[in-house]
Each structure stands twice: as C-alpha cells, then as structure tokens.
C-alpha cells in the first residue's frame, strides 16, 4: 500500500512549523512528507525590520532548514513553485513537478500597493532577506555619498517610510537608533537627516490601544522621527513621493522610499484558480480551502474571519504558528482515517511592537506593557518561537538571549 503524500509549499512560519510538527507526531510509515521552498533557509519575517535598518546582521534572521528538519522523515526540495494544478493534484516547479494526496499552501505574502502609481517600481519593501540587504546597503551608500556630493542634496538623507502599522513603526524605531551611528561614521550633522513615516489612517498602529500608540509616537518623535498621519502617498517617483492630505498635495524629494503599508497573499494562489480576496483564500473552520477536501491553507495565504467583529484576523506570525498546529492535527486525522477534523480558533496571547533597542509597547491579556518591560517580552516571544521550532540548541544559536 502506497503511503499518502503530503506536500507543503513554503517554509515560512506556517509551513516550517507544520513540517516540524508532522515529523514529531507522525509515525515513520504513515505518510511521505515533502517540503518545498525557494531557499534552503527559513527566515524570521518579524525580525526583518532590524537588518533593513542595519541594526542586526541579516544572517541572524536565517535558519537553515536542515537544522530543524529531520531528513529521514521530511524530504526537502529546494525549488520555486510556479503553479498549483489542483484538478490534477500536482504542483509545477521551475525544475519539475510533484504529485500530492494532501497539500499545504503556505506560500507567504507579497506587498500590496493598493494601485499607488510608481510604488512597485520605485520603492523598496521589507519582504525577504535579499530585500532588506538592499535597503541597508542603499541607505549606507546614500550616507557615504552625501559629503562627496558637491550639492549635498537633502534627498540623500531623506528616508520616507510608507505605512505606520507594525512593520513601519518597528522599522522607524530601528532607524532612530541607526541614524546617529551613520551620522557619526560619515561625519554628518544629524539635523540634516529626515525620517518621515507616512500613514493614511488617522493614527499610527491603527487598531492598537490608544494609550500605547501615544507612548510610541511620542518616543519616536523625541528620537527625530517625523509623522504625517491621515496622509496618503498618491504617487511614488524616481525623485520621491507626492503626498495628499485633505486634497492638498505635497512633494517630498527622497532617494529612499520604503513601503510597509500592506500585504496580500502570494499571487501563485490566485493564478492557480483558487477563489481569493487580495490573494488570500477564505478558509473553512478546519483550514481547508472551500471545495477541497485535501488542500489546507495557512499563514499569509489564509483569510480567516473573526466572528466577533466580522473582520479578517491580521496575518501574523502568531496566528500562522497556531494554524500549523491545527493543520498538522487535521492532516494526521485524515491520514489515519478520522474525518472529524479540528476547528481552528486563534488564541491571541499578546501583541508586542518594538521601538528600537530596549523599547517596545505591547499587550499581554489585558495588561499594557511599555518600555524595557515590553522589550523583554518581545525577546521572550522570539526565543519561545525558536524553542518550539528547534529546541534549546536553536535558541542558543539564534536567540536574543540578552533580555535586559
């Protein structure tokens, strides 16, 4: 009797954790499991704002797949997914194809530009290890070139960050720490530098606790971050951005525009014929795609509605990891012939946003956290994930062990 074949597409939080849970819970002869990923590493998306600013080396965010996968139980295929042919139960890769009995779609996100003209062509985005290396190298080049520029163009030292959600705020928090170091290194007066955070909503961190939002904004403003709230980026050009607020336009010249204003599911999902909303599949309660008995969706490609407010849950790492646990349990139930699957129910244990070294804001249950206490909690959360993924050895190798 042939073993059923489980194919996992993507090694982000949802994909890698599904693979790790399967190898822990699955008997040796129960199923053949194949993990497909473009790179030979998993990276921590929630850390990418740090190497983008240059406050953390990009290699710290990378975890080699071979360090957490038991290749006696999981087959790793390094390749790029091109298309899912769900009618044929087949995945097309750049260098071949894979048949499956059960599929886990965990292909991650792409930046959502909301149709803003020129954004895709002229702005950087925080989306991968390679993308944040480019941002760091570009910013350092602009600072290094400033004093060699006869005109000393201010746009070299003007950084526009589009979006003041978690990624945007965490990125400007790191920039607030990094800019003084760059100024010292390249002999630049810090007063010459502008870091401008633009947000279309009427507040930074929309939906977050107002008291914590006020703390974060005040702290970052004291560190030199400028905020333009209730302001839209109307257009992004090679010279900078055109902003619009109350029908009044403003042009700001900048050589560095970084877009953090939204994400959508991987376009492969939409292009493969699944019904999607912004590239995300509205999954059933057991995390299966509607109409498919053998296709599960986790992470950024999964759209899950919060029944309490009829709004989608945000595609966070916390939820993706929890989805991986339910997805694993349901896959094993199907493999073992049990068709009564678990319902996925997110358990939001807390939310923490870093504001640079030693500073953060967050909520854990009903408790609000500020400053160094929140920063410590952020590191504990990061270390806990590493422990779940690879045990104490991975925490020692990649963790943020200095809590204070």
């Amino acid at each position: 009797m042939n073993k059923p074949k489980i194919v996992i597409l993507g090694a982000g939080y949802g994909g890698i954790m599904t693979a790790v849970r399967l190898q822990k819970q699955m008997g040796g002869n129960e199923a053949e499991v194949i993990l497909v990923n473009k790179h030979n590493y998993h990276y921590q998306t929630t850390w990418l704002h740090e190497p983008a600013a240059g406050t953390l080396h990009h290699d710290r965010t990378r975890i080699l797949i071979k360090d957490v996968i038991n290749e006696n139980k999981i087959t790793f295929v390094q390749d790029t997914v091109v298309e899912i042919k769900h009618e044929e139960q087949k995945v097309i890769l750049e260098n071949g194809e894979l048949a499956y009995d059960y599929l886990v779609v965990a292909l991650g996100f792409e930046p959502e530009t909301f149709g803003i003209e020129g954004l895709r062509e002229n702005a950087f985005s925080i989306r991968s290890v390679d993308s944040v290396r480019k941002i760091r190298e570009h910013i350092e080049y602009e600072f290094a070139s400033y004093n060699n520029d006869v005109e000393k163009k201010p746009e070299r030292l003007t950084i526009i960050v589009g979006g003041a959600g978690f990624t945007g705020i965490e990125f400007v928090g790191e920039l607030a720490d990094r800019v003084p170091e760059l100024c010292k290194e390249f002999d630049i007066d810090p007063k010459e530098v502008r870091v401008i955070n633009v947000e279309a909503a009427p507040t930074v961190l929309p939906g977050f606790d107002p008291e914590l939002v006020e703390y974060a904004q005040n702290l970052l403003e004291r560190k030199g971050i400028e905020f333009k709230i209730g302001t839209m980026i109307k257009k992004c050009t090679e010279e900078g951005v055109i902003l619009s607020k109350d029908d009044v336009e403003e042009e700001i010249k900048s050589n560095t525009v970084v877009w953090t204003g939204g994400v959508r599911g991987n376009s492969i999902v939409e292009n493969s014929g699944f019904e999607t909303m912004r590239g995300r599949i509205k999954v059933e309660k057991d995390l299966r795609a509607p109409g498919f008995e053998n296709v599960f969706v986790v992470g950024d490609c999964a759209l899950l509605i919060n029944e309490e407010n009829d709004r989608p849950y945000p595609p966070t790492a916390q939820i993706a990891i929890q989805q991986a646990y339910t997805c694993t349990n349901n896959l094993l139930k199907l493999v073992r012939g049990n068709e009564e699957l678990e319902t996925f129910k997110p358990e939001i244990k807390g939310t923490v946003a870093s504001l640079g070294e030693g500073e953060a804001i967050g909520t854990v249950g009903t408790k609000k956290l500020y400053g160094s206490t929140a920063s410590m909690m952020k590191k504990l959360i990061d270390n806990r994930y590493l422990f779940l993924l690879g045990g104490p050895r991975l925490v020692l190798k990649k963790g943020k062990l200095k809590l204070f």
Side-chain angles (χ1 to χ4, degrees):
M1 180 177 176
N2 291 331
K3 292 187 292 186
K5 183 183 289 186
I6 301 170
V7 175
I8 304 168
L9 303 181
Y13 291 102
I16 194 77
M17 189 59 78
T18 300
V20 167
R21 297 306 302 171
L22 281 171
Q23 76 180 13
K24 287 182 178 179
Q25 295 178 232
M26 182 179 63
N29 294 313
E30 285 194 278
E32 178 185 358
V33 182
I34 300 172
L35 174 64
V36 181
N37 197 59
K38 181 178 181 180
H39 304 290
N40 68 345
Y41 57 84
H42 158 74
Y43 60 88
Q44 300 215 66
T45 313
T46 57
W47 289 16
L48 289 180
H49 58 282
E50 296 178 63
T55 55
L56 182 76
H57 195 279
H58 58 267
D59 278 341
R60 284 287 303 281
T61 71
R62 289 199 267 215
I63 298 166
L64 291 176
I65 289 172
K66 69 180 179 66
D67 285 348
V68 294
I69 291 299
N70 180 347
E71 293 185 289
N72 292 322
K73 290 189 173 184
I74 309 287
T75 301
F76 172 56
V77 174
Q78 185 177 345
D79 208 335
T80 300
V81 178
V82 175
E83 185 183 1
I84 301 166
K85 290 185 175 292
H86 46 77
E87 292 181 356
E88 302 172 36
Q89 296 194 179
K90 186 185 297 183
V91 178
I92 307 301
L93 309 175
E94 281 190 353
N95 299 297
E97 60 182 50
L98 289 170
Y100 64 83
D101 296 299
Y102 300 100
L103 183 69
V104 180
V105 180
L107 287 168
F109 70 90
E110 296 175 358
E112 174 61 271
T113 62
F114 302 106
I116 298 172
E117 184 180 348
L119 200 62
R120 196 176 299 278
E121 295 80 10
N122 299 307
F124 295 95
S125 64
I126 296 175
R127 60 171 298 189
S128 66
V129 173
D130 289 339
S131 75
V132 298
R133 287 180 67 180
K134 288 179 182 177
I135 293 170
R136 175 185 59 79
E137 291 168 1
H138 173 81
I139 290 173
E140 289 177 356
Y141 173 80
E142 294 297 330
F143 273 75
S145 302
Y146 181 69
N147 282 325
N148 296 321
D149 186 344
V150 176
E151 299 180 43
K152 292 193 174 181
K153 296 177 181 178
E155 51 263 43
R156 284 195 182 276
L157 303 181
T158 301
I159 301 171
I160 308 286
V161 180
F166 266 67
T167 303
I169 288 296
E170 291 190 319
F171 180 49
V172 298
E174 296 300 318
L175 286 174
D177 290 343
R178 181 63 174 143
V179 163
E181 296 174 355
L182 290 169
C183 289
K184 185 176 181 180
E185 182 177 353
F186 296 110
D187 195 24
I188 293 170
D189 183 347
K191 294 178 183 177
E192 302 289 327
V193 182
R194 295 181 73 190
V195 179
I196 306 168
N197 194 192
V198 182
E199 172 57 52
T203 176
V204 306
L205 295 170
F208 211 59
D209 181 273
E211 192 176 325
L212 295 174
V213 168
E214 183 180 4
Y215 177 91
Q217 188 168 343
N218 289 340
L219 173 71
L220 293 171
E221 286 177 336
R222 289 197 301 271
K223 289 185 172 186
I225 306 299
E226 300 177 45
F227 289 96
K228 291 187 177 291
I229 307 303
T231 303
M232 297 177 61
I233 295 179
K234 189 173 182 180
K235 186 177 182 180
C236 184
T237 70
E238 292 181 359
E239 287 76 38
V241 294
I242 296 173
L243 307 179
S244 177
K245 181 175 183 177
D246 299 328
D247 295 325
V248 177
E249 292 188 0
E250 175 188 9
E251 182 177 9
I252 300 179
K253 291 191 174 182
S254 169
N255 287 4
T256 310
V257 180
V258 181
W259 176 247
T260 70
V263 299
R264 57 177 287 119
N266 195 305
S267 57
I268 291 169
V269 178
E270 192 170 15
N271 295 339
S272 295
F274 291 98
E275 186 176 338
T276 63
M277 297 171 61
R278 287 176 56 186
R280 301 168 70 192
I281 298 173
K282 186 177 178 181
V283 294
E284 302 288 2
K285 292 181 179 181
D286 55 17
L287 298 179
R288 286 188 286 191
F292 294 89
E293 297 293 314
N294 62 342
V295 178
F296 291 85
V297 190
V298 298
D300 295 298
C301 294
L303 177 63
L304 193 75
I305 302 297
N306 184 342
E307 294 178 354
E308 292 179 6
N309 57 20
D310 203 34
R311 297 182 62 182
Y313 282 100
T316 62
Q318 180 179 182
I319 289 179
I321 294 163
Q322 292 178 17
Q323 287 174 332
Y325 277 64
T326 299
C327 180
T328 299
N329 293 342
N330 285 343
L331 282 166
L332 291 173
K333 283 176 179 286
L334 290 174
V335 167
R336 293 165 182 170
N338 184 351
E339 295 183 0
E340 188 175 339
L341 304 190
E342 290 183 12
T343 293
F344 175 68
K345 178 67 175 175
E347 185 182 349
I348 310 302
K349 298 177 180 178
T351 308
V352 184
S354 66
L355 305 172
E357 180 60 33
E359 283 284 354
I361 56 170
T363 57
V364 177
T366 59
K367 187 176 178 60
K368 300 176 187 179
L369 304 178
Y370 301 83
S372 60
T373 304
S375 180
M376 180 186 70
M377 180 58 66
K378 175 78 169 173
K379 291 174 182 176
L380 286 171
I381 292 168
D382 291 340
N383 289 340
R384 178 180 180 274
Y385 169 67
L386 292 172
F387 181 82
L388 292 174
L389 188 63
R393 186 173 60 86
L394 191 60
V395 177
L396 290 171
K397 186 174 183 179
K398 291 289 184 177
K400 296 182 177 181
L401 299 177
K402 184 180 177 183
L403 299 180
F404 297 96

